[in-house]
Amino acid sequence: MRVGLVGLGRIGRFHAQTLSGVADELVVADADTALAEAVAAEVGARVGDPWTADAVVVATPTATHADLLLQACELRLPVFCEKPAAPTVAETRRVAEAAERTGTLVHIGFQRRFDAGFAAARDAVLSGELGELHRAHLVTFDPSPPPPAYVPVSGGIFRDCHIHDFDILRWVTGREADTVYATGANRGDAYFAEADDVDTSAAVITMTDGTLVTLQGSRYNGAGYDVRMELGGTLRTWAVGLGERAPLTLAEAGSAPADPWPDFQTRFAPAYEAEITAFLSAARGERESPCTVRDALAALYLAEAADLSRHAGRPVRLQEVSK
């Protein structure tokens, strides 16, 4: 299979490394031609037109996603795109409709679905091993904040960072959210507040069956990169992300991990590889889409509701943002 890759920034270069090992031929492109040439030489790819390949991976800036996905749909070319599918609800709906109208495989990159721990937790919930699920808790803590120039175009912490939590919450529990009550604070650099964003976040989510979910986020978790999920049922409690590299100091033992997770690429490297492999398998018609645009839209509704809640200072029902 010939695979095209558009966009060779941080995550694009990461995907280039993975694709070079699984694609018969990799064709790369970037607005920065010198960068494209360098990455091509690094991974054994060639610079060219990615839209002539059998499938394409999109890793460009968020603002470009919708147009590139629509282009793929018109070409009926299987496409993988890093989250989000588009910056807004209206654009995401447009992409979803185009994918459904043309029958094009569009896989949105939510790599946590391919992490062994989250997959095992999903199986435990859906099989009834936990009993009846009553509560869940999620955290996403970055070790250091993103660059100042990125924050104003990121969409804010709920759309940029917690979109992964919102997607994995739906996927693991098999439930939909009903109400979100979110807040945030600025405890670090001023450029978050200047962009009408926050660097510390929290939310309470009520699912349609009454399951209560709490969520926390931070851009300043100096101990390391920390992503965890706890699921409490009537029979058992499961935790994802409490391995030996979780950046936590145990108060009882007084010990911290010797090698905490430094960043998301390291923490989720196997998941990213599994995700790309799953996409290529779907592109060959061997399985269904691992994560559709409709899935991405459902996560975006949660992000929109959380952002509205933070600004309005009140609970927001998903019906308000999904009409």
Side-chain angles (χ1 to χ4, degrees), residues 107-126:
H107 172 191
I108 306 303
F110 285 103
Q111 87 284 350
R112 293 186 195 180
R113 292 181 177 220
F114 298 87
D115 176 78
F118 284 109
R122 169 183 163 89
D123 290 342
V125 171
L126 300 185

Side-chain angles (χ1 to χ4, degrees), residues 111-123 138 165 168 171-172 227-229 231 240-241 267-268:
Q111 87 284 350
R112 293 186 195 180
R113 292 181 177 220
F114 298 87
D115 176 78
F118 284 109
R122 169 183 163 89
D123 290 342
L138 299 92
D165 296 296
I168 205 63
W171 188 74
V172 167
V227 167
R228 286 177 280 117
M229 184 181 204
L231 299 153
V240 180
R267 166 66 176 85
F268 287 111

